[in-house]
Amino acid sequence: PAKEMLAPELPAPEFPAVGAAAPVSPVSRPVFALMVQLVDLALLLMAGLAATPAYEITLERTPRGALTVAAWIGAGAIVVAMRGRGGYTIKALATPGRSLLMLPVPLAIGWTATVVSLFLLHEGATPSRGWPFVFALVSLGVLVCHRLALWRVILHWRRQGRLVQRIAVVGVND
């Protein structure tokens, strides 16, 4: 009895059989949508940072602070516009055509937001006229690649049963 008190026997861990499917935990749709929005925001900010050196090759210098603020404003506007159009639903993201057709309007809104912010933040220097176009093109490329990658992930998760939605059908016998 004293030995059992010092070192009680623990049950042996159960491992799945070789070749058995691992247990699948469902993914919450709102959490998935929030993750996609945050990744989009991060990718769009990186697109803004990548657009800056690409645009400065043309020798037009704009204060980097203004471009950084414009990138934040443009990225935020694109994400908010995409969310407003229902672009972060599983239904929209699961179909590549539908997902890609939603991109032009949010990109136009983001482009407009960057132009306006650069005009308001030009700080005495000439506001950059070409950078918003470079930002929009890089953003378009990033979002298209991200949507195609998401489509593959959603297909894989659907096959695994992670994106199942539980419903209850209640009826009365009249």
Side-chain angles (χ1 to χ4, degrees):
K3 184 178 179 183
E4 289 176 6
M5 290 178 77
L6 293 176
E9 284 191 36
L10 298 174
E14 294 182 26
F15 296 104
V18 176
V24 176
S25 61
V27 176
S28 167
R29 289 172 182 244
V31 170
F32 181 73
L34 180 65
M35 289 187 321
V36 172
Q37 289 175 39
L38 292 174
V39 170
D40 270 356
L41 184 64
L43 289 172
L44 289 167
L45 289 173
M46 288 190 291
L49 295 175
T52 302
Y55 182 68
E56 285 182 351
I57 292 174
T58 63
L59 301 176
E60 183 177 336
R61 301 277 179 194
T62 301
R64 284 198 184 256
L67 294 180
T68 304
V69 171
W72 272 97
I73 291 172
I78 291 170
V79 170
V80 168
M82 186 71 74
R83 184 175 183 187
R85 291 180 53 95
Y88 290 114
T89 62
I90 298 294
K91 189 175 183 179
L93 293 171
T95 310
R98 181 181 220 174
S99 180
L100 295 177
L101 286 175
M102 286 188 174
L103 291 179
V105 171
L107 281 171
I109 291 170
W111 178 80
T112 304
T114 57
V115 169
V116 169
S117 64
L118 281 175
F119 178 75
L120 294 175
L121 296 171
H122 71 275
E123 301 171 3
T126 309
S128 176
R129 293 185 183 116
W131 183 84
F133 290 108
V134 176
F135 174 67
L137 288 175
V138 174
S139 296
L140 176 65
V142 164
L143 287 176
V144 166
C145 291
H146 187 224
R147 292 298 181 267
L148 293 176
L150 274 175
W151 172 62
R152 300 288 299 178
V153 169
I154 289 172
L155 281 179
H156 181 69
W157 282 3
R158 275 192 172 168
R159 287 185 193 130
Q160 287 184 336
R162 289 184 179 215
L163 294 174
V164 295
Q165 188 174 11
R166 295 183 181 150
I167 59 169
V169 178
V170 179
V172 230
N173 198 6
D174 283 340

